[in-house]
Amino acid sequence: MKYPMARITGTGSCLPERRLGNAELARVVETTEDWILSRTGIVERRIAAAGELTSDLATRAARQALEAAGVGAEEMDLILVATTTADHIFPATATVVQHKLGVSERHAPAFDVQAVCAGFMYGLSVAEKYIVSGSCRRVLLIGAEVFSRLIDWTDRSTCILFGDGAGAVVLEAVDSGERGLLSTHIHADGSYLDMLKGPDGVGYLPVPLTGDTPAAAMRRDLGYVEMRGNDVFKHAVKTMGQVAESALAAHGLTAKDLAWLVPHQANIRIIQSIAKRVGIDPERVVVTVDRHGNTSAASIPLALDDAVRGGRIQPGDLVLLDGFGGGFTWGAALLRW
Ligand code: UT7
């Protein structure tokens, strides 16, 4: 084999059954169907059922992707799950998924990637490195979230945005020069914690054995997602635009060469602004935010699977994936489908 490159050979997705529409939300918080639709483009989002975990959605999406690729879970050399809503603090959700797929006895490595809504872009970059280095021939990468569980459902500025779901891809090693992943570009700027953050982590729990913390008090409210939406909006447009341009420039390509842009699905106005900045026809932009809301790490693989199964993305198409999330984190990937 020549120097290997990674190619996505199968995609899959999973959405929980329950649909939460804008009218229902307008009965719970002070908002209107019109406001949500006009300010975000979202019509409905899905909400996982009680006991339906990130690993359940991830496993179902993975099975679809494996079937589409025509390979078995036992053939995966690495399992990655990009998530913000892990089943447990430990072990990694990827190990739970490995077990649910029935391949734990194979002992392939499995770990989680945490870059919030840019998690899938980070996961893609990790998968690419394992394949290009020759360490792995096949990688299963899943973006999966039950983000609804992190939300304060009395906060109208966040609860209208998010939803649950999972998207998965199988990546396989192919000879360089063939169709596949041309490059990934990921970045972070950790100075924006105050603009977008989730509940506190375990470090904020009470100190044990201090005399004043009976066992019952050890579990305290760790909070919810907090976001300065308008500021986040501006950063998302700027960074996603920049990284899209540098991904194209790295290959001497321009927006004219692109068949499809598959951006993170947070808000239709962000998507439209990026399309304008990149210079791609809105018709060539994959949009699922209307049906899925913002599913964080699941949003790009869900949108990708939608476009692949819908027959829009065709072999040979140049596809740009573009994501942004808390941290801030952001990234792009260019693929010859
Ligand atoms: O996944 C990556 C991270 N997330 C994002 O990329 C999300 C980025 N941000 C956004 O999508 C938008 O900023 C939001 C949809 C969150 C908010 O839209 P906006 O156009 O930026 O609104 P705003 O925050 O500037 O607020 C405008 C007004 C405010 O009222 P006043 O102060 O002008 O009277 C808000 O209180 O809209 C009000 N508002 C609402 N009104 C009705 C905020 N949320 C709602 C609501 N219904 N749900």
Side-chain angles (χ1 to χ4, degrees):
M1 183 186 236
K2 287 192 282 179
Y3 191 59
M5 76 189 294
R7 184 199 295 167
I8 294 177
T9 55
T11 65
S13 59
C14 172
L15 290 165
E17 296 244 316
R18 166 140 156 70
R19 296 162 187 264
L20 175 59
N22 294 345
E24 190 177 345
L25 266 175
R27 289 196 289 274
V28 187
V29 287
E30 200 188 328
T31 189
T32 62
E33 285 182 73
D34 267 4
W35 193 96
I36 302 173
L37 187 60
S38 63
R39 303 307 293 168
T40 71
I42 299 168
V43 175
E44 64 174 19
R45 64 293 285 146
R46 303 295 184 99
I47 305 293
E52 194 171 35
L53 303 174
T54 289
S55 62
D56 295 318
L57 304 180
T59 304
R60 277 184 254 151
R63 287 212 172 96
Q64 262 198 12
L66 290 162
E67 198 187 328
V71 291
E74 70 286 353
E75 295 176 82
M76 296 301 113
D77 301 317
L78 171 64
I79 298 175
L80 297 171
V81 174
T83 188
T84 318
T85 51
D87 290 6
H88 310 278
I89 297 286
F90 76 87
T93 302
T95 62
V96 181
V97 170
Q98 184 208 51
H99 184 60
K100 285 184 176 173
L101 287 170
V103 293
S104 37
E105 77 287 354
R106 300 273 311 166
H107 300 176
F111 60 91
D112 290 356
V113 178
Q114 162 55 306
V116 208
C117 301
F120 186 78
M121 303 313 304
Y122 270 60
L124 207 53
S125 182
V126 174
E128 177 200 34
K129 303 303 180 273
Y130 271 95
I131 287 178
V132 170
S133 69
S135 302
C136 293
R137 286 192 56 83
R138 295 190 182 87
V139 178
L140 175 61
L141 168 62
I142 311 155
E145 302 277 16
V146 288
F147 218 81
S148 62
R149 306 306 199 253
L150 298 180
I151 302 300
D152 174 358
W153 287 90
T154 66
D155 176 3
R156 68 177 185 174
S157 69
T158 53
C159 76
I160 52 139
L161 289 174
F162 294 96
D164 303 335
V169 297
V170 171
L171 292 126
E172 299 190 58
V174 294
D175 282 341
S176 63
E178 291 189 29
R179 290 155 38 215
L181 193 47
L182 302 182
S183 61
T184 58
H185 308 258
I186 55 172
H187 300 279
D189 181 339
S191 62
Y192 291 101
L193 180 69
D194 290 346
M195 274 195 205
L196 177 55
K197 76 173 200 58
D200 292 335
V202 290
Y204 287 88
L205 287 168
V207 180
L209 306 177
T210 50
D212 55 358
T213 51
M218 287 296 296
R219 282 183 170 271
R220 70 168 183 92
D221 181 9
L222 293 170
Y224 298 98
V225 169
E226 292 167 36
M227 178 170 71
R228 283 174 21 210
N230 210 276
D231 294 326
V232 175
F233 188 113
K234 288 175 198 147
H235 280 273
V237 171
K238 187 173 138 208
T239 55
M240 285 168 79
Q242 276 169 352
V243 77
E245 283 166 358
S246 50
L248 286 166
H251 299 275
L253 297 165
T254 70
K256 288 191 180 56
D257 301 302
L258 277 180
W260 293 103
L261 171 65
V262 186
H264 173 47
Q265 309 284 316
N267 185 320
I268 191 66
R269 294 184 295 127
I270 296 180
I271 294 171
Q272 286 163 346
S273 302
I274 291 159
K276 197 169 165 200
R277 169 158 180 177
V278 172
I280 187 169
D281 182 347
E283 303 277 292
R284 314 303 296 174
V285 182
V286 177
V287 175
T288 51
V289 71
D290 52 335
R291 289 167 283 145
H292 301 165
N294 181 349
T295 56
S296 185
S299 98
I300 292 174
L302 271 170
L304 183 65
D305 184 56
D306 195 79
V308 169
R309 282 176 195 270
R312 282 176 288 162
I313 296 182
Q314 288 293 321
D317 279 354
L318 186 68
V319 181
L320 181 67
L321 312 183
D322 197 0
F324 174 87
F328 293 140
T329 50
W330 64 99
L334 205 52
L335 308 96
R336 180 69 66 188
W337 195 257

